Amino acid sequence: MNVTQSLITKYILIMIAAVLIIPVSFFAGSWLITVPFMHIQGLLNEEYKGKSYYEQIWNQEAKKLEGANEKTINQKLKLLKEKYPEASMFWVNEAGQTQLPLPYHESLPKQWSSSYTAEFIKKRYGNDPYTVITFIGTDKKQGFMVIEVPEKAVEPPIQRLDPAYYNIYLGFVFIIVLSFIVLSLFFFLRIRKRLRALQAAMNNKDEQGIPLPVVSESTDEIGQLEQSFNQMVKQLHESRDREQQEEQLRQDLIMSLSHDLRTPLTTVRTHIYQMKNEEMALNVQQSLEVIDTKVEFVSDLIDNLFSYTLLLNRKYPYREEEVDMARFLRKSIAQWYPLFEEENMEVDIQLPSQSIYWRGDVQWLERIIDNLCQNVIRHAKEGNFIGFRLVQEHDLSSLTISDKGSGFNKNSHTKQNGVGLAIVAAMIKEMGLTWSIHSTKHGTDIQIVYKASD
């Protein structure tokens, strides 16, 4: 896997960006917002005159006035006032008298004392306006000169920007941070979306019950998981195809064996029938009866296997029609009645006088009744009873076949007549019917229910 495509690498980059986003956004905002605003307000072209600038210039000009007279000093101050109109200035001569205040301010005293001078210096120190006091020349006896500059004039240009700048600047920083949060959220939502898509693919199955493959567009950890999932789906399809091929081979084998065994069994039954017509000892006749019964059982079993295989392959013919169940049951029970009498079984028939119609195949319904009756005779004849009851309630009608045998033993039925019941279950399902088995030690009720369609 490419390291640059790894989710861990992407996550580390997000963490690094989270650490750097605040300082970077402030720096970027300073360049992208401050410079244009300073240009708009003309602060970029303006010479920055800070506190050190005024202090240096004032000291230099004061030294140049070494030995100058009052007129020269006044002229110099007027020139400096023209050069620095934002400042106010004056000077005090050696006698302590205020000279040439530019502009005039009535708060200035005409005569300076040592105490007032000290108080003046104390008030101006670190306050607004910024004040520079320096002696004229190198001889302190010439007096001193003072310049006062408003605090706003000595501030850096960035501090003199319009207040609206700060709102735009903070808005810019907020947008940068918000963009980072959105991108981070998008990163994790994309991971979540891919995981949810994988989960949905696991729950979304095709007609074979196998999950559908997913589209893998990345080589990161989730992409590898998607590829593994697709490989698993492929293996499941291959396994299902092998199972279907093996099942088809089994069904073909059963059909072939069923067909091949019918001929010799028919021959055996023919010879048994011929032998029964010959005179022979009683024990031999009894043995022939047992053999005939077992051959008949094997023949029925082969027939059931053949029919069941046809049902699984959907090759068993099905012709749906409207069937009068009351009439159909009378006919079917009449065919079985001699066998019921031979087995000394009491037959209880409860069929309505009016017609009850089901949609289905008559041959399939007949096969279901035959298999169920055969099952009662073989496994519940000790109860000497079989009952048929057909009833209808609203849009539901049901057929119940009852016996008074020892109860439905699933294991024994599976071993001896499981194929017959499997055929019943398959046919009932294909015809859209439902059925249930209620069995106790006193007998078994098998109920088949039909719901009329609208």
Side-chain angles (χ1 to χ4, degrees), residues 142-394:
Q142 282 187 266
F144 58 89
M145 50 193 292
V146 179
I147 182 172
E148 294 179 328
V149 185
E151 190 71 26
K152 191 171 183 61
V154 295
E155 289 179 347
I158 192 172
Q159 295 184 7
R160 284 182 274 163
L161 287 173
D162 191 288
Y165 151 78
Y166 295 101
N167 295 331
I168 297 176
Y169 178 73
L170 292 176
F172 174 81
V173 174
F174 175 76
I175 291 174
I176 294 295
V177 175
L178 182 62
S179 300
F180 168 76
I181 295 174
V182 171
L183 290 175
S184 302
L185 184 62
F186 175 78
F187 172 76
F188 289 104
L189 286 178
R190 186 169 178 269
I191 293 177
R192 181 176 179 270
K193 180 181 178 181
R194 293 170 65 189
L195 292 175
R196 292 292 295 272
L198 189 59
Q199 180 185 13
M202 293 179 182
N203 296 326
N204 190 16
K205 298 178 175 59
D206 58 16
E207 63 278 0
Q208 293 182 334
I210 298 176
L212 297 175
V214 297
V215 178
S216 180
E217 299 178 348
S218 178
T219 58
D220 57 17
E221 288 82 353
I222 297 180
Q224 291 180 346
L225 179 61
E226 292 170 342
Q227 293 173 4
S228 298
F229 176 78
N230 290 339
Q231 185 65 26
M232 180 196 70
V233 171
K234 180 181 178 182
Q235 292 175 356
L236 287 174
H237 277 290
E238 293 175 351
S239 176
R240 184 60 57 87
D241 291 341
R242 287 194 299 270
E243 289 179 3
Q244 291 177 348
Q245 291 174 1
E246 292 172 359
E247 181 65 22
Q248 186 63 42
L249 288 174
R250 276 196 302 271
Q251 293 175 5
D252 292 343
L253 178 61
I254 291 173
M255 293 181 66
S256 177
L257 288 174
S258 300
H259 183 271
D260 293 341
L261 288 173
R262 280 181 175 182
T263 302
L265 285 176
T266 303
T267 304
V268 171
R269 295 196 69 181
T270 301
H271 286 283
I272 291 175
Y273 178 77
Q274 292 177 351
M275 293 176 66
K276 282 183 179 180
N277 295 328
E278 301 292 334
E279 293 184 3
M280 59 188 68
L282 180 61
N283 60 341
V284 175
Q285 290 181 351
Q286 291 175 347
S287 297
L288 285 175
E289 289 293 338
V290 173
I291 293 172
D292 189 28
T293 301
K294 294 301 180 181
V295 169
E296 182 182 3
F297 175 79
V298 173
S299 178
D300 291 340
L301 180 60
I302 292 173
D303 185 55
N304 283 334
L305 282 172
F306 185 74
S307 299
Y308 186 64
T309 305
L310 290 176
L311 280 172
L312 291 180
N313 289 328
R314 298 186 179 276
K315 295 181 179 179
Y316 203 95
Y318 179 75
R319 301 176 182 85
E320 187 178 85
E321 60 181 291
E322 196 172 65
V323 182
D324 184 344
M325 288 301 295
R327 182 179 178 182
F328 164 76
L329 286 172
R330 290 189 183 94
K331 180 180 178 182
S332 298
I333 295 171
Q335 294 175 354
W336 280 89
Y337 206 88
L339 188 57
F340 293 150
E341 286 186 333
E342 183 180 340
E343 297 293 341
N344 296 319
M345 297 180 68
E346 177 187 353
V347 182
D348 180 25
I349 303 174
Q350 300 180 30
L351 302 179
S353 57
Q354 70 275 17
S355 297
I356 297 178
Y357 292 97
W358 288 13
R359 295 290 301 179
D361 188 306
V362 174
Q363 302 297 326
W364 286 37
L365 289 171
E366 185 175 352
R367 184 61 179 270
I368 291 172
I369 299 300
D370 289 348
N371 281 16
L372 293 178
C373 290
Q374 190 178 74
N375 189 67
V376 172
I377 291 175
R378 286 181 177 172
H379 306 292
K381 64 181 179 181
E382 70 274 9
N384 297 322
F385 176 85
I386 185 170
F388 300 88
R389 182 163 57 94
L390 179 66
V391 296
Q392 182 170 13
E393 294 182 2
H394 305 296

Side-chain angles (χ1 to χ4, degrees), residues 53-54 58 76 80 90 110 114 126 171 192 223 228 288 343 347 445:
Y53 173 82
Y54 284 101
W58 203 246
K76 187 63 176 178
L80 291 174
F90 63 91
K110 293 182 180 181
S114 58
R192 181 176 179 270
S228 298
L288 285 175
E343 297 293 341
V347 182
D445 292 335

